Amino acid sequence: MTSENTSSVAAAQETDWDARAAAFDDEPDHGLRDPEVRAAWAGRLRAWFPAPPAHVLDLGCGTGSLALLAAGQGHRVTAVDRSPAMTERARAKLTGHPAEVLRGDAGAPPVGGRRFDAVLVRHVLWALPDPAGALRHWRELLRPGGRFVLVEGVWGTLAPVGIPADRLTALLEPLVREARVERLSGDSALWGKEVDDERYAVVAMV
């Protein structure tokens, strides 16, 4: 890991996510309040996930917007975030749905011996101090035939942060039997705006 990446990971670890929770959903791709943005993410999730009902583990769930979409599509969702304020908002969103929200570390989620059909992670892996170790641990949480759904990217120009797609696929190679990369930068409906940085999803089968 370069010194720049080390610094960006440290900054992400030190971010006060409780303080950011109240305004977190103001970003179009966080709150999914715009019907076009919400529909764009719903369509991607349908393509990425197994047929419902699947058991989905959403790690670093934030306020639970993607977990809510997954639950609305008929999946059983376990959502994890380390921020009490984020998990409080996620629980409120998911009330009445087949979902459980847990407070804990995305890198080592508190799910005991449970296994899942899909592990969903959006914009979290790059900020973990040991991405390779996290992927190995998450692999143990997947049932045979399960899949990773990893949405990541590289943001910024002067001091870019994130994880490039080629690095992520290299980390996954010893853990999965196949992986495909979907480039997402060109789909402005997902972000509620045009973007020119690297945004992608890796769907990897085990």
Side-chain angles (χ1 to χ4, degrees):
M1 182 179 292
T2 67
S3 60
E4 291 82 1
N5 284 340
T6 301
S7 298
S8 65
V9 169
Q13 291 288 310
E14 293 170 4
T15 297
D16 187 344
W17 293 106
D18 286 332
R20 294 187 60 180
F24 190 77
D25 281 351
D26 293 346
E27 289 293 323
D29 60 309
H30 292 170
L32 308 186
R33 293 166 173 161
D34 182 281
E36 183 179 3
V37 176
R38 188 166 57 252
W41 281 103
R44 295 283 181 165
L45 292 189
R46 277 192 293 270
W48 293 337
F49 286 156
H55 200 168
V56 174
L57 178 60
D58 181 2
L59 297 174
C61 68
T63 60
S65 295
L66 290 185
L68 179 61
L69 282 184
Q73 293 177 1
H75 299 294
R76 302 183 305 278
V77 180
T78 300
V80 177
D81 202 279
R82 69 175 181 170
S83 161
M86 293 287 193
T87 54
E88 180 182 353
R89 283 165 171 76
R91 287 191 185 105
K93 282 184 184 179
L94 289 159
T95 298
H97 293 274
E100 176 184 23
V101 180
L102 303 173
R103 182 185 171 195
D105 181 359
V111 296
R114 283 183 281 173
R115 297 293 181 267
F116 300 86
D117 301 301
V119 168
L120 168 67
V121 185
R122 181 174 67 166
H123 300 168
V124 172
L125 185 64
W126 72 272
L128 298 180
D130 181 13
L135 289 169
R136 288 193 299 270
H137 182 65
W138 298 343
R139 171 65 180 82
E140 297 303 312
L141 302 178
L142 283 167
R143 295 187 177 113
R147 65 187 68 183
F148 288 103
V149 177
L150 307 173
V151 181
E152 291 291 339
V154 179
W155 307 273
T157 52
L158 295 179
V161 299
I163 180 169
D166 57 355
R167 180 173 175 234
L168 180 49
T169 54
L171 292 175
L172 283 168
E173 187 174 3
L175 305 175
V176 303
R177 57 185 172 85
E178 62 177 276
R180 73 176 189 271
V181 178
E182 292 188 21
R183 301 292 175 178
L184 304 179
S185 300
D187 189 350
S188 60
L190 290 171
W191 317 109
K193 59 186 177 182
E194 299 288 338
V195 299
D196 57 7
D197 43 24
E198 181 183 5
R199 305 189 187 195
Y200 64 90
V202 176
V203 180
M205 312 297 290
V206 306

